[in-house]
Amino acid sequence: MSYQRHDDEPKLTAGEATKVAWLVARMAKRGIAGEDVYQGDLERKVERVLDGARRRERREGKRK
């Protein structure tokens, strides 16, 4: 199974990928508790990691 990145998705470092995987696992654990459990805080943390990766790529000159 292969995963195809979207144009706006940055290439993640190993540390960033681990952080996102950890947060997604926490979201899944909360999802088991029920559909009405709030996950916005974890979603914001994932977005923050992705934003940081985008800034890093721009800083390194890999993106325009």
Side-chain angles (χ1 to χ4, degrees):
M1 186 166 120
S2 67
Y3 173 74
Q4 202 168 34
R5 291 186 316 144
H6 295 281
D7 290 336
D8 64 338
E9 289 183 19
K11 184 167 172 65
L12 301 176
T13 63
E16 291 165 343
T18 302
K19 179 85 171 184
V20 169
W22 176 256
L23 292 168
V24 169
R26 288 182 60 195
M27 283 187 228
K29 187 176 177 183
R30 285 187 187 179
I32 292 170
E35 292 181 19
D36 57 340
V37 177
Y38 181 72
Q39 295 192 13
D41 59 328
L42 297 176
E43 292 169 356
R44 280 193 308 274
K45 288 180 183 183
V46 169
E47 280 303 315
R48 219 174 294 145
V49 171
L50 294 176
D51 289 342
R54 287 183 192 103
R55 282 192 304 271
R56 177 185 42 77
E57 281 192 347
R58 280 194 302 269
R59 195 172 50 242
E60 293 175 355
K62 293 183 180 178
R63 290 193 150 232
K64 294 182 180 181

